[in-house]
């Protein structure tokens, strides 16, 4: 998009600061707006039929979200919560068709994001259906590291607080199992967990865990 096009799009946006733990929108609300995450990290959550929370994905800064018009939906199918304090740009959904028609760059980027999200969700479904529990937990931590990691002197730190409960909600595993696995990996110096922050110390060994079979673990 040209500078003039970007300026026009930004002039129509509203800026909002979202405190940690607060929703940008909630599941079932009218999909009245779409958004760009300028800074921070979002957690996308749904409730299953039993009323339990399931974390479907996390969104890093610089991405569009709330693109439900692109999926033909009138309501948000999930809730978006600020994992850390977030700054978002907000546009009314009434501008979606205008932006998509007028600006080819906007349309291509928006649908690329939709494709990426659908692909990620399909990968998550395959993980849940085919991987044993240690692979699922390792895959979840590795994905968080790749999408939200920042390099430090001791390894790669996931940029927001990740509790063991969050990982259990991401993987459909029990809290006891997640705690046992993370404690083992800490002893093996694969990762370190301190003050609800996870530092991945050995990404190669963590990635190897995502590929090991149940037979290997026995």
């Amino acid at each position: 998009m040209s500078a003039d096009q970007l300026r026009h799009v930004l002039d129509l946006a509203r800026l909002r600061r979202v405190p940690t733990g607060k929703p940008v929108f909630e599941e079932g609300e009218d999909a009245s707006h779409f958004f760009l995450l300028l800074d921070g990290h979002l957690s996308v959550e749904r409730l299953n039929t039993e009323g339990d929370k399931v974390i479907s994905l996390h969104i890093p800064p610089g991405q569009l979200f709330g693109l439900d018009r692109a999926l033909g939906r009138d309501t948000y199918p999930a809730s978006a919560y600020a994992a850390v304090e977030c700054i978002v740009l907000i546009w009314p959904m009434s501008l979606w068709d205008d932006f998509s028609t007028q600006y080819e760059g906007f349309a291509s980027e928006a649908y690329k994001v939709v494709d990426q999200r659908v692909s990620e969700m399909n990968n998550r479904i395959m993980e849940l259906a085919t991987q044993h529990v240690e692979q699922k937990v390792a895959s979840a931590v590795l994905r968080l590291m790749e999408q939200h990691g920042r390099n430090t002197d001791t390894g790669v730190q996931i940029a927001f607080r990740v509790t063991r409960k969050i990982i259990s909600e991401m993987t459909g595993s029990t809290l006891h199992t997640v705690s046992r696995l993370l404690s083992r990996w800490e002893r093996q110096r694969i990762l370190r967990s301190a003050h609800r922050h996870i530092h991945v110390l050995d990404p190669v060994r963590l990635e190897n865990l995502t590929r090991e079979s149940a037979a290997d673990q026995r």
Side-chain angles (χ1 to χ4, degrees):
M1 296 175 65
S2 69
D4 287 341
Q5 290 173 335
L6 286 171
R7 190 176 302 111
H8 178 248
V9 168
L10 292 174
D11 284 345
L12 295 174
R14 177 167 56 90
L15 189 70
R16 177 182 169 192
R17 186 181 299 272
V18 185
T20 303
K22 297 298 183 179
V24 180
F25 53 78
E26 296 191 90
E27 183 177 353
E29 289 182 355
D30 289 341
S32 56
H33 295 81
F34 61 97
F35 311 83
L36 174 70
L37 180 60
L38 282 181
D39 190 38
H41 299 266
L42 290 170
S43 172
V44 178
E45 307 173 2
R46 298 190 67 177
L47 296 177
N48 63 20
T49 54
E50 288 76 33
D52 298 321
K53 183 171 67 175
V54 177
I55 297 177
S56 54
L57 55 89
H58 289 85
I59 298 175
Q63 288 199 5
L64 292 163
F65 66 101
L67 306 180
D68 298 281
R69 177 64 62 85
L71 299 174
R73 296 187 59 100
D74 295 322
T75 60
Y76 298 117
S79 303
Y81 286 91
V84 297
E85 184 177 72
C86 293
I87 300 174
V88 299
L89 290 176
I90 307 173
W91 293 270
M93 195 65 77
S94 58
L95 293 174
W96 175 270
D97 291 336
D98 290 341
F99 285 0
S100 298
T101 301
Q102 295 178 37
Y103 307 125
E104 182 180 346
F106 173 85
S108 62
E109 181 64 23
Y111 285 100
K112 183 173 72 174
V113 170
V114 171
D115 287 343
Q116 290 171 345
R117 300 265 168 80
V118 171
S119 177
E120 181 173 346
M121 292 306 302
N122 286 337
N123 290 338
R124 290 285 309 280
I125 291 170
M126 286 298 295
E127 288 174 7
L128 293 174
T130 63
Q131 292 184 335
H132 65 85
V133 64
E134 186 161 10
Q135 286 177 305
K136 288 189 288 190
V137 174
S139 294
V141 176
L142 187 67
R143 184 164 46 248
L144 290 173
M145 183 203 76
E146 291 172 341
Q147 295 179 348
H148 307 275
R150 54 192 181 198
N151 292 323
T152 69
D153 293 338
T154 58
V156 183
Q157 181 188 38
I158 296 172
F160 53 89
R161 290 185 175 184
V162 180
T163 64
R164 299 180 179 198
K165 186 173 187 297
I166 286 174
I167 295 176
S168 73
E169 291 167 349
M170 291 177 64
T171 59
S173 308
T174 66
L175 185 58
H176 171 75
T177 298
V178 171
S179 296
R180 176 174 54 80
L181 289 172
L182 294 188
S183 295
R184 182 202 300 167
W185 296 344
E186 287 196 66
R187 293 193 300 271
Q188 295 172 340
R189 300 291 298 163
I190 295 173
L191 56 76
R192 178 170 59 87
S193 179
H195 308 296
R196 297 184 178 180
H197 279 282
I198 291 178
H199 293 73
V200 178
L201 308 178
D202 195 332
V204 173
R205 290 175 68 193
L206 182 64
E207 185 173 3
N208 288 340
L209 288 172
T210 69
R211 295 193 292 262
E212 291 177 359
S213 67
D216 293 332
Q217 297 302 314
R218 291 195 296 268

